[in-house]
Amino acid sequence: MLDDAELLRRAYELDTDALAAIHDAYYRPIYRYIAFRVDDHHLCEDLVSEVFTRLLTALRERKAPQTSLRGWLFGVASNVVSDHFRRNYRNPHTTLDEKMVSREPSPDELAERAAMNEEIRRAINQLTDDQRHVLALRFGQRMPIQEVARLLGKTEGAVKQLQLRALANLARLMAPGVVE
């Protein structure tokens, strides 16, 4: 095997055998170095490719190292990893995992909810005005019974009775097979 100085000299001439020898000699060490810092096989491969792409660019522009190929490649690998983390810090992204459970309801669940809401609305519309009013204040506005009673000018017992009858009617109206 040729030493680094000879490989570099030939690489500056873009000798394909020299470039292949550099790749073969340094791919695994550079990969291991990057894999120690990045825990994703595909990303490691991409970053190692970036290191060798930068070597080719530097060779074409005559800015590649003159003596220490190994040190230069590991320096570039360090910069490539830092660039990756800097880019992802500024623009974070999440890898989609098929096992990841969405917190959002599925389209089926949304359709089911819409149908259920419509059924509840139809059933509520069949209640008396007082029953609807009590349910709206108690459950829609979360008012305590005392406040509802004061607002409606009724006793607490009367409000409790209206609420009980309204809920019983809703349960009856929403029972399977009941259509009015």
Side-chain angles (χ1 to χ4, degrees), residues 112-127 132 135-136 139 166-167 169-171 173-175 178:
E112 194 173 306
R113 280 186 196 171
M116 177 61 79
N117 287 342
E118 182 57 33
E119 187 178 339
I120 290 170
R121 253 190 302 280
R122 272 191 253 125
I124 287 175
N125 286 335
Q126 294 179 38
L127 300 176
R132 282 196 303 265
L135 290 181
F139 300 110
L167 293 175
N169 282 339
L170 277 179
L173 290 168
M174 294 189 63
V178 176

Side-chain angles (χ1 to χ4, degrees), residues 102-115:
S102 172
R103 293 183 189 142
E104 299 297 317
S106 70
D108 291 346
E109 291 169 331
L110 290 173
E112 194 173 306
R113 280 186 196 171

Side-chain angles (χ1 to χ4, degrees), residues 12-108:
Y12 265 105
E13 297 168 5
L14 299 178
D15 179 320
T16 56
D17 291 334
L19 293 172
I22 291 171
H23 185 270
D24 292 345
Y26 289 104
Y27 183 87
R28 284 181 186 235
I30 298 293
Y31 179 91
R32 282 193 304 269
Y33 172 77
I34 292 174
F36 187 76
R37 297 179 64 193
V38 176
D39 189 27
D40 178 342
H41 169 71
H42 297 292
L43 179 59
C44 285
E45 287 180 341
D46 290 346
L47 295 178
V48 172
S49 294
E50 176 64 22
V51 170
F52 287 103
T53 300
R54 288 187 186 185
L55 173 63
L56 284 174
T57 302
L59 288 168
R60 283 191 188 112
E61 295 173 356
R62 301 280 185 206
K63 294 179 181 178
Q66 299 299 317
T67 54
S68 176
L69 178 61
R70 180 181 180 85
W72 190 88
L73 286 172
F74 279 95
V76 170
S78 176
N79 291 338
V80 165
V81 171
S82 295
D83 291 348
H84 164 73
F85 285 127
R86 194 174 309 110
R87 222 177 9 257
N88 284 342
Y89 176 76
R90 290 184 185 142
N91 303 314
H93 69 281
T94 302
T95 304
L96 293 179
D97 182 1
E98 291 185 22
K99 297 176 213 159
M100 189 184 307
V101 178
S102 172
R103 293 183 189 142
E104 299 297 317
S106 70
D108 291 346

Side-chain angles (χ1 to χ4, degrees), residues 134-135 138-139 145 159-168:
V134 166
L135 290 181
R138 287 284 293 132
F139 300 110
I145 287 181
V159 170
K160 287 179 184 177
Q161 200 62 25
L162 275 170
Q163 179 179 316
L164 180 68
R165 286 186 183 136
L167 293 175

